[in-house]
Each structure stands twice: as structure tokens, then as C-alpha cells.
Amino acid sequence: MSSVQPAETSPRKYQLMIDGKWVDAESGKTFTTPNPATGEILAEVAEGDQADIDKAVAAARKAFEGKWSKVSARDRGRMLYKLSQLIEERTPELAALETSDNGKPIKESTYVDLPQVAENFEYFAGWATKIEGETIPVPGQMFNYTLREPVGVCGQIIPWNFPLLMAAWKLAPALAAGNTIVLKPAEQTPVNAMELGKLIQEAGFPDGVVNIVPGYGETAGAALAAHPGIDKVAFTGSTEVGKLVAKAAAENLTKVSLELGGKAPNIVFADADIEQAVSGAMMGIFFNQGQVCCAGSRLFVEEGVKDQFLERLQAKSANIVVGDPMDQGTHMGPQVSAEQLSRIQGYCDVAQEEGATVLAGGKSPELAAAFQKGYFFQPTIFSDVKNQMRIAQEEVFGPVVSVISFKDEDDLIKQANDTIYGLSAGIWTSNITRAHRFAKAIHAGVIWINTYNMFNAASPFGGYKQSGYGREMGKHALDMYTHVKSVWVDLSGKPIGWFGK
Ligand code: NAP
Ligand code: MG
């Protein structure tokens, strides 16, 4: 198989992007980000904190009230479209960097992440000129209409699992609606956020419209969420940190949207096409090394087909290629960090203590010398899992699937909904009425029927319950980035008679 060259050999250097300028952190501090496949330092990055967030928020405010407010909707759309084109043109370079910083296979960066990043900017480019108010049929000699206005300065905090794509999901609708932004990428994967900053400048966005401040969550992230100068905070990450963000925002009653964790049921009925369902179970849990908030980590399989299904799942999973993420033939690269690797190993230990059986994996693979410092983990299957076990209730965020058997539909729906999360669910069946019954019965924001992990910029994504609130992508994303203003106009030209003549 052909192999792509890693992005570079010596560490790259990045500053903060504030008000259109590349600057060091006020503190002068920097941090490094490793390549998780090798442990080598990929880049040294300026470490923003409160002082830099203050500067970035002030720049975003100035741009919001100044230059950006005078840019027409058409021109906002054109800049977004130009950005999507620049991303398409730079896909090979950006994909190699995404893989070097995050560890995801180059096949995935090139054919999934990057195309979806471009698609999101392109989709929301089209929306810029279609954000409209309405006229309301109020009674009497009155005219009432609404205006859709941008919310203002938005703080956006993103995770490391899809570094560029999470930036695109947040930036694209916010910019289409005319907001300005302070973006804080995850400490594990800051590199492509900064590369995106360069392309944002090249696409013609005025200085200060997008400001990018990498740094740590407890300092830069917390300062942004609690900042009285922002009008909205949008967060993707763990449910635990999501609660901290919502609490910090509550102090100023800042608008909040949250895209948090999941523990999705992926359900296989006996009448499913078993080969299709096996491939869907693998897509559900092994894609992106299992580091997906909507991963199908609870695999419910109907008793009657369980043995046959598990045999096929085991056989096919044994063929998954784990290794050099720059190799076009690799299916799974390393986990993002040493912390994540040890967290996953910890959950595998817990599962065994709870009585689950390891059918595959459960440990790191043996790899060539160059990758021995990488954070690799094998595709892992646990059977004999009960839905109450920790392995079935807590988000592992790794390539670890818990197989739970079920007997009938009522029992299944109770178990599937018995979780604090509600982000997504999958069902595999040839019974069309059951499929749609199920789609209504499951408390989750996304349902996949005989498929898994399907996304499109036009289709909304977001959670029920502790998986968060608000919807990203699609027209619903614009609701999170606009205010509705109601305007009343008297058409009679007469005094108001209420208090007499
Ligand atoms: P996380 O801590 O929730 O991080 C997400 C983002 O929030 C990062 O930019 C992080 O910054 C920032 N952050 C951390 N503490 C903050 C605070 N007090 N105030 C404001 N922002 C803060 O997630 P993680 O540590 O990367 O991963 C831990 C778990 O989160 C995973 O195992 C998984 O369960 C979940 N997760 C979910 C998603 C998802 O898409 N739903 C994505 C990633 C992770 P730093 O990274 O710089 O600390
Ligand atoms: Mg990294």
C-alpha cells in the first residue's frame, strides 16, 4: 500500500490569531502537540489564557460593530464559498496535517473529514443570503414583521476527535448569519485550526471576524465560557465539561449550545441482513478509533442470531489494519493521546471485573519500532454485557463495543433508552414498520436505519437528554446564531385611544 509522507519532520510553530494578526501569548508561554502515532513533537503553539481571550473578545466585538456589520449577506456568502474552495484545493496538505496531529487514518482525513469541512462552508455560504424575517398577520391597523439578526460575539470551544470538521460545524453557520468569533481548539489538536485561520484570511474575511486562541481548557476555555463580553457560547466535548461551560455561561445568561457525549444503542434484529449489520456495527464503533460522540458503543443483538452475528463480527474485525495512519491501507491509527489510551485500558479492566467476556482485543497491538511510542489500541469486542454495567453506561471514547443480547422489542426499547445520553441510535432490520416504530421510540437526536455514521451539512445533528442541546448543521443551526426581533408599525396615523382623548 502507498504511504503518504508525514506532514513535516521538525516542529512547526504557530502563534495566536487575534484581530487579523499573528501574535504570541501575552504570557509568552507555548505548549507542544505530539504526533500520536510516533510521540514526536509536531508543533509548538502559543498558549493563550485569560489575557489573550480578553484581547480576542475585544477584537471580535470591534469587528462585529464595525467592518463586519457593513459587509453584505452576499459578500459573506462569497467569502464562505471562497473558503470552501481553498479547503478543497489544499486537501492533501490539510489531510496530512490532520492525520499527523490527531492520528486518524489518511484515508479518513482525505475522503471523509476534508470533504465534509468544505461541504459545510459551501452549504452555509448559500444560506447567507437566505436568512429572512417574516410578516405576521396581526389584527387592526398594524404592521408587524421580524428581523433575523446575528447574536454577536460567539465563543466556540471544540474537541480533538474531528479537529477541522468541528471547527467547520461551528464557524460556518455563525459566519453565514453575520456573527464574529473567538475559537478555542483542543490542546491535543490545535494545528489545523491555525492553518484554517490562514485560509480565513486568504478568503477575505475582515480582521477580527474570526480569532483563534489555542490553549488549555481550564484556562483559555474557561475564560471564554465565563466571559461577560460574549453573546453566545457553543461547545462540543464531554458532558462533564459541558456542564461547567453551561454553569459559567449562566452567570451572564449567555446563550449556550452543547454537543456532548453519547452511548448509542446500535440494534440488530434477527430479520436484518447479517452481513450488512456486521459492517454497520464495525462502522459504528471502529471508525475514527471509536473516538466519536455518536459511536454505536452498545451493540444490542437479538438472541436468535447472536452466535452467528458475533462469529462474523469477530472474523471481520480480525482483518482490521491497525498501524501507520499515513498508510492508505490502514483502517485504524492511534488514539489521540496517552490519557485516552490509559482511560480505554482502564475501561477494559472494569468490563472484565464486571463479568464481561473479551472476544477480541482489549489491549495495545504489537507494532513496528517506529510506532512503539504511539497510542494504539486493538479493536475490542466485549460480549455478555448487561446494560447496567459501567462499560455499557459510561462513554469510553475508544474502539470498544459492548454486546448486549435482547429477546423482544419492548424489552429492547426500555434498555436502549436506559442511559443518561441521547445523541444517536442505529437499527438493522428488514421490517419497515418496526424500523419506523423504533425511530419514534428512541430518545435521541439522530436515528440511522440500516446504516450508521451518515452525515450531511444539510441534515441537523444534536442530542437529547445529557447529550446536549441545540442542533448543528442544516437550517436549524442558524437558530443558534440568530436573534428574532419583532418590529411593530402603526398604520393608522392616529393617537392611541386607551387613556382617552
Ligand atoms: P473535554 O475536556 O470536554 O474537551 C473539549 C473542549 O473543551 C476542549 O477544547 C477542552 O480544552 C475544553 N475544555 C476543557 N475544560 C474546559 C473548561 N473547564 N471550560 C471550558 N472549556 C474546557 O474533552 P476531552 O478531555 O478532550 O475528552 C474527554 C472526553 O470527552 C472523552 O473521553 C469523550 O468522552 C468526550 N468527548 C466527546 C466529544 C464529542 O464530540 N461529543 C469529543 C471529544 C471528547 P483542552 O482540550 O485544551 O483541555
Ligand atoms: Mg497532536
Side-chain angles (χ1 to χ4, degrees):
M1 280 291 170
S2 63
S3 188
V4 176
Q5 283 303 306
E8 70 297 310
T9 45
S10 60
R12 308 165 76 93
K13 290 203 189 312
Y14 293 98
Q15 294 173 294
L16 315 175
M17 186 176 113
I18 297 178
D19 207 10
K21 291 170 203 69
W22 294 88
V23 293
D24 289 334
E26 288 285 308
S27 68
K29 287 192 203 163
T30 62
F31 67 104
T32 56
T33 177
N35 178 334
T38 60
E40 278 166 22
I41 300 302
L42 173 68
E44 185 186 352
V45 185
E47 182 198 322
D49 61 22
Q50 177 81 54
D52 309 288
I53 292 289
D54 286 347
K55 270 170 62 183
V57 170
R61 176 64 58 195
K62 190 179 75 183
F64 181 70
E65 286 169 5
K67 278 173 281 177
W68 192 230
S69 66
K70 297 182 184 67
V71 173
S72 68
R74 183 182 182 207
D75 283 343
R76 290 201 307 270
R78 287 162 72 106
M79 288 174 202
L80 281 164
Y81 187 66
K82 172 92 179 153
L83 181 57
S84 79
Q85 288 181 314
L86 290 172
I87 289 161
E88 271 180 16
E89 283 164 22
R90 312 277 168 90
T91 285
E93 179 197 335
L94 292 170
L97 275 175
E98 199 77 333
T99 289
S100 301
D101 203 8
N102 167 279
K104 62 179 66 208
I106 190 71
K107 186 169 113 177
E108 187 183 316
S109 308
T110 308
Y111 299 109
V112 181
D113 293 52
L114 264 297
Q116 288 192 24
V117 171
E119 181 195 76
N120 271 272
F121 285 114
E122 186 181 320
Y123 172 79
F124 282 103
W127 265 112
T129 48
K130 294 159 198 77
I131 299 171
E132 297 170 339
E134 59 222 320
T135 56
I136 318 290
V138 292
Q141 291 285 311
M142 283 288 161
F143 174 43
N144 179 230
Y145 66 94
T146 62
L147 295 173
R148 280 236 163 221
E149 296 183 338
V151 167
V153 176
C154 302
Q156 302 185 324
I157 303 173
I158 56 171
W160 42 259
N161 53 344
F162 294 89
L164 260 185
L165 189 55
M166 292 301 98
W169 282 17
K170 297 235 175 323
L171 289 168
L175 292 170
N179 297 277
T180 59
I181 290 143
V182 178
L183 177 75
K184 198 214 74 75
E187 74 195 54
Q188 296 86 349
T189 55
V191 168
N192 259 344
M194 309 323 290
E195 292 295 333
L196 184 64
K198 296 180 194 167
L199 299 187
I200 285 169
Q201 290 182 326
E202 203 177 325
F205 288 92
D207 293 348
V209 170
V210 178
N211 305 274
I212 309 178
V213 184
Y216 294 111
E218 297 74 28
T219 50
L224 187 54
H227 208 291
I230 62 169
D231 302 293
K232 181 203 159 57
V233 59
F235 172 84
T236 296
S238 60
T239 293
E240 195 190 340
V241 175
K243 288 178 187 176
L244 295 178
V245 167
K247 278 184 197 152
E251 205 50 50
N252 307 309
L253 292 178
T254 307
K255 275 163 83 91
V256 185
S257 55
L258 301 171
E259 204 269 272
L260 308 176
K263 198 72 198 177
N266 193 8
I267 296 161
V268 181
F269 278 94
D271 63 12
D273 176 320
I274 295 297
E275 280 304 304
Q276 199 192 11
V278 166
S279 69
M282 292 170 67
M283 179 46 117
I285 195 64
F286 300 135
F287 182 70
N288 204 37
Q289 295 72 242
Q291 302 167 144
V292 184
C293 45
C294 50
S297 50
R298 288 186 299 150
L299 184 57
F300 288 92
V301 185
E302 194 167 355
E303 278 284 351
V305 289
K306 196 183 96 185
D307 292 345
Q308 177 198 355
F309 180 88
L310 284 182
E311 200 179 299
R312 283 300 293 148
L313 181 64
Q314 246 181 301
K316 285 201 71 172
S317 300
N319 295 330
I320 291 176
V321 179
V322 183
D324 180 1
M326 285 295 173
D327 193 311
Q328 298 282 5
T330 294
H331 298 122
M332 275 175 51
Q335 308 304 130
V336 77
S337 64
E339 290 75 28
Q340 282 301 117
L341 183 64
S342 77
R343 176 188 161 105
I344 294 164
Q345 186 66 68
Y347 270 111
C348 288
D349 297 343
V350 166
Q352 279 160 284
E353 284 157 23
E354 288 180 311
T357 309
V358 197
L359 287 187
K363 55 181 188 315
S364 292
E366 304 285 325
L367 292 176
F371 300 108
Q372 277 170 5
K373 290 202 182 116
Y375 317 128
F376 294 88
F377 203 74
Q378 288 180 343
T380 299
I381 305 168
F382 280 107
S383 66
D384 304 320
V385 176
K386 301 274 176 276
N387 194 49
Q388 316 79 260
M389 292 181 180
R390 280 184 65 197
I391 192 72
Q393 288 292 323
E394 297 176 22
E395 192 177 37
V396 177
F397 228 62
V400 179
V401 72
S402 294
V403 181
I404 306 171
S405 60
F406 71 91
K407 291 202 184 73
D408 66 66
E409 197 177 312
D410 288 345
D411 161 49
L412 179 264
I413 285 173
K414 250 191 240 128
Q415 291 199 66
N417 281 331
D418 183 12
T419 163
I420 60 164
Y421 297 113
L423 190 53
S424 61
I427 180 172
W428 303 85
T429 180
S430 55
N431 181 328
I432 191 169
T433 52
R434 168 186 281 152
H436 292 287
R437 224 170 24 242
F438 171 88
K440 287 182 83 168
I442 294 297
H443 305 148
V446 187
I447 307 288
W448 288 299
I449 297 172
N450 292 333
T451 185
Y452 210 91
N453 275 344
M454 293 306 296
F455 297 93
N456 186 275
S459 180
F461 184 84
Y464 283 33
K465 302 197 277 184
Q466 291 195 31
S467 290
Y469 36 77
R471 292 291 174 272
E472 304 203 275
M473 298 195 289
K475 63 183 174 194
H476 301 283
L478 296 166
D479 295 340
M480 307 202 297
Y481 291 101
T482 49
H483 276 311
V484 179
K485 180 181 277 179
S486 177
V487 182
W488 290 81
V489 187
D490 173 86
L491 299 179
S492 73
K494 292 179 188 156
I496 301 170
W498 186 260
F499 293 106
K501 293 194 176 158

